[in-house]
Amino acid sequence: MRVIITSVLGLLFLALPFIIKSNYLLSILIVIGIYTLVVEGLGLLMGYAGQVSFGQAAFFGIGSYTVAILTARYHWDTVAALLAAVVIPSAVAFIIGRPTLKLRELYLALATLAFGLLVHIAFNEGRELTGGPSGLTGIPYLSFAGLILNRDIHFYYLVWAFVLLVFLAVRNLDRSRIGRAMRAIRDSELAAEANGINTALLKLQAFVFSAFLAGLAGGIYAYYITFVSPSPFGFNMSVQFVLMAVVGGLGTVWGPVLGVGLVVALGEVLRWFIPLVMPRAGGEYQIVFFGIILVLVMIFRPEGLSGRWRKKQAAAEEGKGALETTTT
């Protein structure tokens, strides 16, 4: 049954660009795919390793600016620039992760928040390199093997192919010894250390992997928009990424895409609704609504949208294990 449902969903996703006639809706699906890459990494960091980060927008921005600077200013090959967009955020995460991940809970959240704010300031103030508040233009379309990805349908398949690969990687990780060790850190870091788990190394690996995915998403975002400016990589975006991960459900493969889909759809509704009721309101009011939603979710549904499904799956696996034990 699961194979049939998965096959139907796969065919539906392949056919969607031909069913949807609206470029706007197709662009929304591409953005959902890009954000899903970021939130899958954040979900791994928060849901498995139990480490909160408000700095994912910074890694997302570093990936975007890496592509923008290398291609628009230094005329690098587009594929090489995309590779650099995942390597540089990963290296930055490795450098800052070693001291930062020694902090616990609120202090870690504040440290990553400060990092995100510093990177955002650097995007604004590094005018000679980043273009400052005006941003950078002239980013070419991504191209390889003679194929130029300059249409929405190209980016749709590119982004969701990467999302599928990440789904498979996280699913395999979830069932591996490393995944179980990360969940042990989330449940009790002291108990994990007492059982011989190298908690510092695993937390650092999860942090670097989340930055890797954020950089990849940022690089694709730059090629899709062909323009970067500091505004999409600030504090508001970091809060939205955390909201997406929490609303979708931490520690699950499908939770991030559910959370991203809901928050992006809600953001589009608010973009239309807020000017109707508050004509002079700016975009900052969206973050107020998102903050209220985050508080409500933490109070009434802390396990997220996919939490109930995860509990049913865990119960089914326990029942299956008990049945196998009984029959043997």
Side-chain angles (χ1 to χ4, degrees), residues 18-328:
F18 301 99
I19 298 172
I20 296 174
K21 301 301 180 184
S22 167
N23 288 334
Y24 169 73
L25 290 179
L26 192 57
S27 68
I28 293 294
L29 289 176
I30 294 169
V31 170
I32 289 174
I34 291 173
Y35 288 171
T36 297
L37 290 173
V38 181
V39 180
E40 280 287 347
L42 185 59
L44 182 74
L45 182 66
M46 292 176 63
Y48 287 81
Q51 308 301 305
V52 179
S53 172
F54 281 93
Q56 295 311 106
F59 294 122
F60 183 53
I62 292 172
S64 288
Y65 270 98
T66 298
V67 161
I69 293 169
L70 293 181
T71 57
R73 291 197 182 278
Y74 298 103
H75 310 293
W76 274 40
D77 176 77
T78 56
V79 174
L82 185 61
L83 291 174
V86 298
V87 171
I88 293 177
S90 302
V92 172
F94 179 79
I95 294 169
I96 70 165
R98 293 174 68 88
T100 304
L101 292 173
K102 294 178 181 176
L103 302 173
R104 303 286 176 89
E105 300 175 350
L106 179 62
Y107 299 102
L108 174 61
L110 289 175
T112 54
L113 174 62
F115 165 71
L117 292 175
L118 287 173
V119 171
H120 191 244
I121 291 171
F123 290 155
N124 273 301
E125 298 301 323
R127 297 174 187 273
E128 292 186 1
L129 192 62
T130 66
S134 301
L136 277 176
T137 59
I139 302 170
Y141 287 112
L142 179 63
S143 63
F144 59 92
L147 175 64
I148 301 175
L149 306 184
N150 56 1
R151 296 176 57 195
D152 283 355
I153 191 171
H154 296 156
F155 279 94
Y156 173 86
Y157 286 121
L158 175 73
V159 168
W160 284 100
F162 276 119
V163 171
L164 177 61
L165 292 175
V166 173
F167 275 2
L168 295 174
V170 174
R171 183 182 173 85
N172 288 332
L173 179 71
D174 182 44
R175 299 176 175 178
S176 70
R177 188 168 59 87
I178 295 177
R180 291 192 292 275
M182 284 186 178
R183 287 197 295 273
I185 295 173
R186 176 195 62 193
D187 296 337
S188 173
E189 192 168 335
L190 290 176
E193 287 177 353
N195 282 281
I197 296 173
N198 189 337
T199 58
L201 178 62
L202 279 179
K203 288 192 297 184
L204 183 61
Q205 288 175 341
F207 192 58
V208 171
F209 184 65
S210 70
F212 174 93
L213 291 183
L216 173 65
I220 296 174
Y221 176 82
Y223 282 126
Y224 179 55
I225 303 296
T226 65
F227 166 75
V228 294
S229 68
S231 57
F233 313 117
F235 172 69
N236 290 1
M237 199 67 239
S238 282
V239 172
Q240 288 190 42
F241 284 145
V242 173
L243 177 64
M244 291 167 184
V246 173
V247 169
L250 297 171
T252 65
V253 176
W254 290 100
V257 71
L258 293 175
V260 171
L262 181 66
V263 173
V264 169
L266 183 61
E268 293 301 311
V269 172
L270 290 176
R271 196 192 310 274
W272 164 79
F273 179 71
I274 289 177
L276 291 180
V277 295
M278 294 183 287
R280 295 183 179 180
E284 68 274 8
Y285 280 83
Q286 281 194 21
I287 201 67
V288 175
F289 283 94
F290 286 140
I292 294 172
I293 293 170
L294 182 59
V295 171
L296 293 176
V297 169
M298 295 301 290
I299 293 174
F300 296 106
R301 192 100 183 227
E303 73 277 10
L305 295 177
S306 60
R308 188 166 298 176
W309 174 81
R310 183 180 56 186
K311 287 181 178 178
K312 288 182 178 179
Q313 188 183 37
E317 289 178 354
E318 287 181 4
K320 184 179 177 181
L323 180 62
E324 290 175 353
T325 303
T326 303
T327 54
T328 55

